[in-house]
Amino acid sequence: MPAQSVLVAHPAFHMRLLQQYLSLLRQYPIITKSVTSATLSALGNLLSQGLEARRRTKEGVPVKDFNHLGLLHYALYGLCVTGPVSHYFYQLLEELLPASVPFCMIKRLLLDRLVFAPAFLLLFFSVMTLLEGKTKQDLKDKLMKGYWTALKMNWRIWTPFQFLNINFVPVQFRVLFANVVALFWYAYLATVRQ
């Protein structure tokens, strides 16, 4: 008689949570990655606001009120942009540059760092400016003020993480891996965009 595989109900909460996440990832990959991106993007914004409040307190500067709208903007960005766009980008990377292609690790990294990262950062600045109800001139000013600085920092910070992510992390977990790193990246971007 053949054995059947069944999910084992693990008593530890974190293991049950992981099993549920893996099940949702198999059944609804894009939605799961989008909701995960929304959650972690919002947490990144929350972290940013907390760090900013802490810095202001230390400097004796009045702390701004909590920005609920900023939290919502980051969650929407994660849900509608980061999750789906990253999902398709990582899938495309696998198709364009499978492991059998010579020097695929370097080619993947170059494609990510020199094409995807600049475009994705531009998209971030544009979408956030739109969500904030700002004008094209505001976008142009923010790009002139912070884009190049943010892109250089992206290359500096993200390159080792993305090398690991696109070459060693299984494709279904790449968005999650990037979102965990992005917790801190979004905190940085929120300060650069101010």
Side-chain angles (χ1 to χ4, degrees):
M1 183 163 146
Q4 276 189 313
S5 293
V6 293
L7 283 177
V8 176
H10 200 283
F13 174 75
H14 68 281
M15 291 305 291
R16 290 193 317 268
L17 190 63
L18 177 61
Q19 286 178 342
Q20 183 63 40
Y21 179 78
L22 292 173
S23 176
L24 289 170
L25 198 55
R26 276 190 302 277
Q27 292 177 319
Y28 312 103
I30 298 169
I31 293 171
T32 303
K33 291 173 188 178
S34 295
V35 170
T36 303
S37 293
T39 303
L40 291 174
S41 294
L43 284 174
N45 179 265
L46 192 61
L47 175 65
S48 169
Q49 290 190 51
L51 292 172
E52 181 67 16
R54 187 176 181 190
R55 183 188 63 78
R56 285 174 166 264
T57 301
K58 281 184 180 179
E59 293 173 357
V61 178
V63 176
K64 295 184 209 174
D65 290 336
F66 178 74
N67 183 356
H68 294 85
L69 210 49
L71 189 73
L72 177 64
H73 291 163
Y74 274 77
L76 279 171
Y77 184 79
L79 182 71
C80 300
V81 179
T82 303
V85 170
S86 298
H87 168 82
Y88 287 113
F89 173 70
Y90 293 133
Q91 295 292 329
L92 182 64
L93 253 174
E94 286 299 306
E95 290 177 27
L96 290 177
L97 297 166
S100 59
V101 171
F103 304 105
C104 78
M105 295 172 115
I106 299 301
K107 290 176 181 177
R108 286 177 181 181
L109 186 64
L110 289 173
L111 184 61
D112 176 74
R113 302 290 67 221
L114 300 177
V115 177
F116 185 73
F120 198 70
L121 187 59
L122 179 61
L123 183 63
F124 173 81
F125 273 81
S126 301
V127 170
M128 285 302 185
T129 301
L130 178 72
L131 287 172
E132 292 167 354
K134 302 286 176 84
T135 65
K136 286 182 184 178
Q137 186 59 45
D138 292 324
L139 173 60
K140 184 178 177 184
D141 293 343
K142 286 185 180 191
L143 288 173
M144 295 298 290
K145 181 182 171 193
Y147 179 80
W148 180 240
T149 302
L151 183 60
K152 288 188 295 187
M153 186 60 78
N154 179 297
W155 286 337
R156 199 173 300 132
I157 300 298
W158 276 93
T159 299
F161 291 111
Q162 280 300 85
F163 179 78
L164 293 173
N165 192 18
I166 60 182
N167 291 306
F168 299 106
V169 174
V171 71
Q172 70 268 26
F173 298 119
R174 289 180 188 166
V175 175
L176 177 62
F177 181 88
N179 280 325
V180 170
V181 175
L183 267 173
F184 304 100
W185 175 245
Y186 282 140
Y188 166 76
L189 277 183
T191 59
V192 167
R193 287 188 68 256
Q194 297 299 325

